[in-house]
Amino acid sequence: MSLGSVVVRAIWVMLPAYLPNNIAVLVGGGKPIDSGRKWCGKRILGDGKTWRGTIGGIMAGILLGLFQNQMHNLLDVSLIQLPKLPLIVTITLPTGAMLGDIVASFIKRLLGKDRGESFLLIDQLDFVIGSLLFTGIIVPNWFGKIFTFEILLTVVIITPLLHLSTNLIAYLLNLKQEPY
Ligand code: CTP
Ligand code: MG
C-alpha cells in the first residue's frame, strides 16, 4: 500500500473515533457525569465531562460510521481499499473514544490538574488509546485484520496533529477555552 492510501485508510477507520470529542465540545454542558462528587478532596472527573457531551458525542460517532458505510456502497474504493465498518465497530470506536477521554480526566484530577489544564500527549491521544483498546477487546478479529502495524503507527502520528488543529479552530471560534 502506498503512503497516501495508508494515511487515507487510517483516517477513514478512525473517523468515528475522531468526531465524538468535537461534538462533545459543541453539545456539552449540563449535568456533569460525576454530579460534582469528590474523591480524596478532588473532583472525580470535573465539569468538563457531562452526560450530554458524552452521549451526543457517541451518537454522532455512530451516525458517522453508518454514513461512511453508505458512502462505501456508493464509492469505488478498490484503489485505496477502504474497509467497511461492522455495526459493532461503529459503536465501539466512539464509545471507546469517550471512555478514554473520561479516564484521562480522572487521571488529571488525581494529579491535581484543573479542568482544561493541558496534559501533553494524553489530551491528544486519550481518545485514540480508548477507542483502539475498547475495539480491540470487543472485536479482536476485525481489529487485528484492519489495524496493521503501519496503520497503527500512522494513527499515532497523525492524531495529535489533527486533534491540535481542530482544537485550535474550536478555540478561534470561541467554542473552547484553550487552544489544545
Ligand atoms: N465535553 C463534555 N463531555 C465530555 C467531553 C467533553 O461535555 N465527555 C465538553 C465540555 O464542555 C468540555 C469540552 O467539551 O469542557 C472540552 O472537552 P475536554 O477538552 O475533553 O475537557 P476539559 O474541559 O479540557 O476538561 P479536562 O481537563 O477534564 O480534560
Ligand atoms: Mg481539555
Side-chain angles (χ1 to χ4, degrees), residues 119-154:
F119 195 1
L120 198 69
L121 285 180
I122 298 295
D123 279 335
Q124 288 80 38
L125 285 171
D126 52 14
F127 58 102
V128 168
I129 297 169
S131 68
L132 293 180
L133 267 181
F134 196 57
T135 304
I137 291 168
I138 307 265
V139 207
N141 289 339
W142 183 85
F143 184 87
K145 206 172 64 186
I146 299 298
F147 285 96
T148 56
F149 177 72
E150 57 184 355
I151 294 283
L152 279 176
L153 186 66
T154 309

Side-chain angles (χ1 to χ4, degrees), residues 58-129:
I58 292 174
M59 297 305 290
I62 295 173
L63 288 178
L64 177 59
L66 297 177
F67 176 73
Q68 282 175 255
N69 282 341
Q70 291 303 313
M71 294 301 290
H72 193 282
N73 295 334
L74 295 175
L75 298 169
D76 179 14
V77 293
S78 48
L79 263 181
I80 32 180
Q81 303 168 9
L82 295 179
K84 256 201 149 168
L85 306 170
L87 181 63
I88 181 77
V89 168
T90 66
I91 299 170
T92 59
L93 284 173
T95 306
M98 289 273 88
L99 287 176
D101 182 53
I102 288 170
V103 170
S105 286
F106 176 66
I107 296 170
K108 284 169 82 172
R109 298 302 90 82
L110 277 183
L111 295 176
K113 287 183 184 287
D114 289 330
R115 171 191 179 182
E117 209 176 307
S118 137
F119 195 1
L120 198 69
L121 285 180
I122 298 295
D123 279 335
Q124 288 80 38
L125 285 171
D126 52 14
F127 58 102
V128 168
I129 297 169

Side-chain angles (χ1 to χ4, degrees), residues 14 19 28 42 46 57 66 84 94 115 145 153 158 171 176:
M14 289 307 286
L19 188 64
K42 290 173 187 143
L66 297 177
K84 256 201 149 168
R115 171 191 179 182
K145 206 172 64 186
L153 186 66
I158 62 174
Y171 171 75
K176 217 173 169 300

Side-chain angles (χ1 to χ4, degrees), residues 21 24-29 33 45-54 98 101-102 105 108-109 113-117 123 176 178 180:
N21 287 68
V25 174
L26 293 178
V27 305
I33 296 175
L45 300 174
D47 285 333
K49 303 295 117 136
T50 67
W51 286 110
R52 214 162 68 200
T54 307
M98 289 273 88
D101 182 53
I102 288 170
S105 286
K108 284 169 82 172
R109 298 302 90 82
K113 287 183 184 287
D114 289 330
R115 171 191 179 182
E117 209 176 307
D123 279 335
K176 217 173 169 300
E178 310 83 21
Y180 42 80

